[in-house]
């Protein structure tokens, strides 16, 4: 009898599962209906599909990547079928009428999605024309400037970058090309040198937390999801302080168990912002929780989200320690993308060393980058930075004027300081919370706390 290794058995099992899933989806193709008539101020998108782990994240990701605002959502996936309704608008709060966007939604979520390649799975994109660099380390003033300088000196062109900072940690996903070839970096010695030098920069003398640099040309996860995963793996949800100010700014996250059903009920109330729903669904999915039902409303300045979840093994949250971990991780997921500081937008012709020069000017003016989005398209660099003073203070007008003179008044635009978060005990919060709690199962006595 031929010996079959465990690896081969796992491969066969995965292959059979994948083939069964594709067959089931062909026999039960997903349906998407886009309705611009029934809603007063939003486009209504209804999605029915065969259920699978991660399907909610897949749908939310597609809508979020189109820069659509999800104002309401009703989700149900109890059983073998996934059904949900999204109310969405464009960035200006209007119904979505762009035919190209509507057609893309129908193709991405409708029957045609069944015959897509396996690479269509959540957050996966084929990478052949650039090298991906993942960075994880302790945050400090000037870090992005130092990283950019290293890559510029090594003749690497930064095509796109997204940088997040949270709880003294910094994470970045950078897409770079070899300046000589304009494509991915293939020189193994150069790749090794990049990794070595960036590890030295990220270490920064901090021996308490490990710095990581990963350089790859392989297929990578969706950038935003990968940043969540990197910061989660680095345990950025473990707070370094619990001062009174921090407590007031913290989102309100609660987890209780439903007394008559094997669900845990997660409720979230916080100031609304773009991509909030993606961030919370992404975190629950990557923590191996399944969302069976959900109610989401973000029509006002605050967002309310309610999820009925179980762990992928079928159990609700089992202990107070697990409950606290879910709360901490969701709080961190909400806070990572919060735009702290002054928003600066740079639009100019792309060139090698551009990011290095701009961030050097920031550093010379004692500014710290709290978040950055860098993209290049058609030879144009479109960069967004959120900056604040090195000590956390606000940025004064003299500093901004100095930076604009150094970079160029016409290519650097100041968008003003973000609005302050609504205090948790404000009248707005109380009114909004009461409105939705009255419709929640929590107030019907069907759920119980751990206390």
């Amino acid at each position: 009898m031929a010996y079959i290794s465990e690896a081969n058995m796992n491969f066969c099992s995965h292959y059979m599962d994948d083939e069964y899933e594709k067959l089931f989806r062909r026999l039960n193709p997903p349906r998407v209906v886009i309705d611009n008539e029934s809603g007063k101020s939003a486009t209504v998108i209804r999605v029915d599909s065969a259920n699978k782990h991660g399907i909610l994240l897949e749908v939310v990701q597609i809508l979020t990547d189109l820069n659509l605002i999800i104002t309401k959502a009703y989700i149900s996936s109890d059983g073998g079928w996934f059904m949900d309704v999204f109310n969405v608008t464009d960035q200006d709060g209007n119904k979505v009428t762009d035919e190209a966007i509507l057609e893309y939604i129908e193709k991405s979520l409708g029957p045609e999605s069944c015959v897509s390649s396996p690479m269509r799975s959540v957050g996966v994109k084929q990478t052949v024309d650039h090298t991906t660099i993942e960075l994880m380390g302790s945050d400090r003033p000037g870090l992005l400037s130092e990283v950019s300088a290293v890559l510029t000196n090594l003749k690497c062109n930064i095509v796109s970058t997204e940088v997040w900072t949270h709880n003294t940690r910094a994470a970045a996903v950078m897409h770079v090309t070899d300046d000589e070839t304009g494509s991915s970096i293939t020189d193994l010695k150069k790749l090794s040198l990049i990794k070595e030098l960036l590890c030295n920069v990220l270490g920064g003398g901090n021996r308490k937390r490990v710095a990581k640099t990963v350089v790859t040309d392989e297929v990578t996860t969706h950038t935003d999801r990968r940043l969540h995963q990197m910061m989660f793996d680095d345990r950025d949800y473990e707070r370094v302080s619990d001062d009174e100010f921090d407590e007031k700014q913290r989102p309100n996250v609660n987890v209780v168990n439903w007394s008559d059903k094997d669900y845990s009920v997660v409720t979230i109330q916080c100031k609304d912002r773009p991509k909030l729903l993606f961030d919370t669904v992404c975190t629950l999915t990557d923590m191996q929780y399944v969302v069976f039902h959900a109610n989401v409303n973000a029509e006002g300045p605050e967002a309310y989200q309610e999820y009925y979840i179980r762990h992928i093994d079928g159990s609700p949250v089992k202990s107070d320690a697990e409950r606290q971990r879910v709360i901490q991780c969701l709080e961190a997921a909400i806070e990572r993308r919060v735009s702290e500081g002054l928003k600066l937008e740079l639009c100019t012709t792309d060139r090698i060393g551009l990011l290095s020069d701009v961030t050097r000017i920031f550093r010379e003016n004692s500014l710290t980058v709290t978040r950055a989005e860098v993209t290049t398209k058609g030879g144009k660099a479109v960069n967004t930075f959120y900056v604040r003073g090195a000590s956390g203070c606000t940025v004064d007008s003299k500093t901004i004027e100095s930076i604009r003179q150094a970079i160029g008044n016409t290519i650097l635009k100041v968008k003003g300081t973000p609005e302050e978060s609504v205090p948790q005990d404000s009248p707005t919060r109380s009114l909004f919370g009461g409105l939705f709690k009255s419709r929640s199962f929590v107030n019907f006595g069907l759920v119980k706390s751990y206390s």
Side-chain angles (χ1 to χ4, degrees):
M1 182 180 292
Y3 173 73
I4 301 177
S5 68
E6 182 178 352
N8 284 335
M9 291 179 64
N10 290 337
F11 173 79
C12 291
S13 176
H14 176 76
Y15 176 79
M16 293 299 293
D17 289 343
D18 186 55
E19 289 300 308
Y20 175 79
E21 179 183 315
K22 286 191 285 187
L23 175 62
F24 186 77
R25 286 172 65 85
R26 286 193 181 98
L27 295 175
N28 302 276
R31 298 185 295 271
V32 56
V33 176
I34 301 176
D35 178 6
N36 261 326
E37 300 299 327
S38 60
K40 292 183 179 180
S41 57
T43 298
V44 180
I45 300 175
R46 299 180 179 88
V47 181
D48 296 336
S49 173
N51 195 16
K52 66 174 182 178
H53 182 55
I55 182 66
L56 175 59
L57 176 58
E58 183 173 328
V59 174
V60 171
Q61 179 185 298
I62 288 171
L63 298 178
T64 301
D65 284 349
L66 291 169
N67 291 320
L68 301 180
I69 305 298
I70 300 173
T71 59
K72 280 187 179 181
Y74 306 94
I75 292 129
S76 179
S77 62
D78 207 346
W81 201 252
F82 169 82
M83 297 175 288
D84 62 355
V85 179
F86 296 94
N87 287 12
V88 303
T89 69
D90 60 19
Q91 291 287 312
D92 298 320
N94 302 316
K95 291 183 179 182
V96 183
T97 56
D98 188 316
E99 291 297 330
I101 293 178
L102 298 177
E103 182 180 354
Y104 179 83
I105 293 173
E106 290 179 341
K107 287 185 176 180
S108 299
L109 301 178
E112 292 185 38
S113 65
C114 292
V115 295
S116 300
S117 70
M119 295 310 304
R120 185 181 170 276
S121 57
V122 179
V124 176
K125 296 181 179 179
Q126 183 68 44
T127 302
V128 294
D129 58 349
H130 61 251
T131 297
T132 300
I133 301 176
E134 296 180 352
L135 306 174
M136 188 77 235
S138 297
D139 186 29
R140 67 174 189 277
L143 179 60
L144 180 58
S145 175
E146 294 177 34
V147 169
S148 304
V150 167
L151 293 173
T152 299
N153 290 336
L154 292 173
K155 304 299 181 183
C156 298
N157 187 38
I158 301 172
V159 178
S160 64
T161 299
E162 188 144 356
V163 181
W164 290 359
T165 62
H166 178 247
N167 200 12
T168 75
R169 306 300 291 164
V173 175
M174 314 183 82
H175 295 156
V176 304
T177 59
D178 190 317
D179 188 49
E180 294 181 357
T181 65
S183 58
S184 59
I185 302 168
T186 57
D187 186 333
L188 296 180
K189 290 184 178 179
K190 186 172 183 177
L191 290 171
S192 178
L193 183 58
I194 289 172
K195 186 172 182 178
E196 178 184 352
L197 294 179
L198 290 180
C199 274
N200 291 339
V201 170
L202 289 169
N206 188 341
R207 298 180 181 179
K208 294 182 180 180
R209 302 294 292 268
V210 176
K212 297 179 182 178
T213 302
V214 177
V215 182
T216 180
D217 283 330
E218 298 178 358
V219 175
T220 56
T221 303
H222 183 273
T223 298
D224 289 3
R225 188 180 187 190
R226 185 64 191 132
L227 285 165
H228 277 301
Q229 291 172 341
M230 291 164 64
M231 299 202 99
F232 173 81
D233 290 342
D234 198 46
R235 304 174 72 90
D236 75 312
Y237 52 85
E238 296 179 344
R239 295 184 179 274
V240 295
S241 66
D242 286 309
D243 57 36
E244 183 178 352
F245 175 80
D246 183 57
E247 288 284 349
K248 289 183 178 181
Q249 300 300 316
R250 190 176 300 183
N252 184 2
V253 182
N254 193 29
V255 180
V256 296
N257 278 356
W258 191 353
S259 58
D260 296 334
K261 299 286 184 178
D262 289 332
Y263 290 127
S264 291
V265 184
V266 178
T267 55
I268 299 171
Q269 287 178 277
C270 63
K271 185 184 179 191
D272 190 32
R273 60 163 176 76
K275 301 187 178 181
L276 177 64
L277 182 59
F278 172 86
D279 294 336
T280 54
V281 171
C282 177
T283 299
L284 289 171
T285 303
D286 283 339
M287 291 182 72
Q288 299 297 299
Y289 290 101
V290 179
V291 176
F292 287 87
H293 304 282
N295 175 32
V296 175
N297 193 302
E299 290 185 306
E302 286 200 352
Y304 178 86
Q305 300 179 358
E306 185 173 68
Y307 300 102
Y308 292 78
I309 67 169
R310 294 187 191 127
H311 193 268
I312 198 170
D313 63 9
S315 64
V317 173
K318 298 177 182 177
S319 66
D320 190 60
E322 183 182 356
R323 171 179 172 271
Q324 290 297 329
R325 188 166 182 265
V326 172
I327 291 173
Q328 289 177 339
C329 291
L330 285 171
E331 287 175 347
I334 294 166
E335 293 169 350
R336 287 171 192 146
R337 208 197 291 265
V338 171
S339 305
E340 297 180 353
L342 191 70
K343 183 179 180 181
L344 304 179
E345 289 185 354
L346 174 71
C347 182
T348 187
T349 303
D350 186 39
R351 60 174 173 80
I352 187 170
L354 175 63
L355 183 60
S356 175
D357 291 342
V358 171
T359 52
R360 174 182 52 78
I361 293 171
F362 290 165
R363 183 177 61 178
E364 291 172 350
N365 284 272
S366 301
L367 295 188
T368 298
V369 178
T370 61
R371 190 160 70 86
E373 297 176 3
V374 176
T375 58
T376 304
K377 187 174 182 180
K380 285 285 186 180
V382 181
N383 304 342
T384 301
F385 304 95
Y386 293 89
V387 300
R388 59 185 176 187
S391 59
C393 59
T394 56
V395 184
D396 61 65
S397 57
K398 291 183 179 179
T399 300
I400 292 301
E401 186 59 31
S402 175
I403 292 173
R404 294 189 69 180
Q405 289 181 2
I407 296 177
N409 288 329
T410 59
I411 64 174
L412 183 68
K413 296 182 179 180
V414 181
K415 293 298 183 178
T417 54
E419 295 180 1
E420 295 181 358
S421 299
V422 178
Q424 292 196 6
D425 57 353
S426 72
T428 304
R429 178 181 182 82
S430 300
L431 176 62
F432 192 85
L435 173 64
F436 286 101
K437 282 186 177 179
S438 64
R439 302 178 183 177
S440 167
F441 286 113
V442 174
N443 273 22
F444 293 155
L446 299 176
V447 295
K448 61 183 179 181
S449 176
Y450 288 81
S451 57

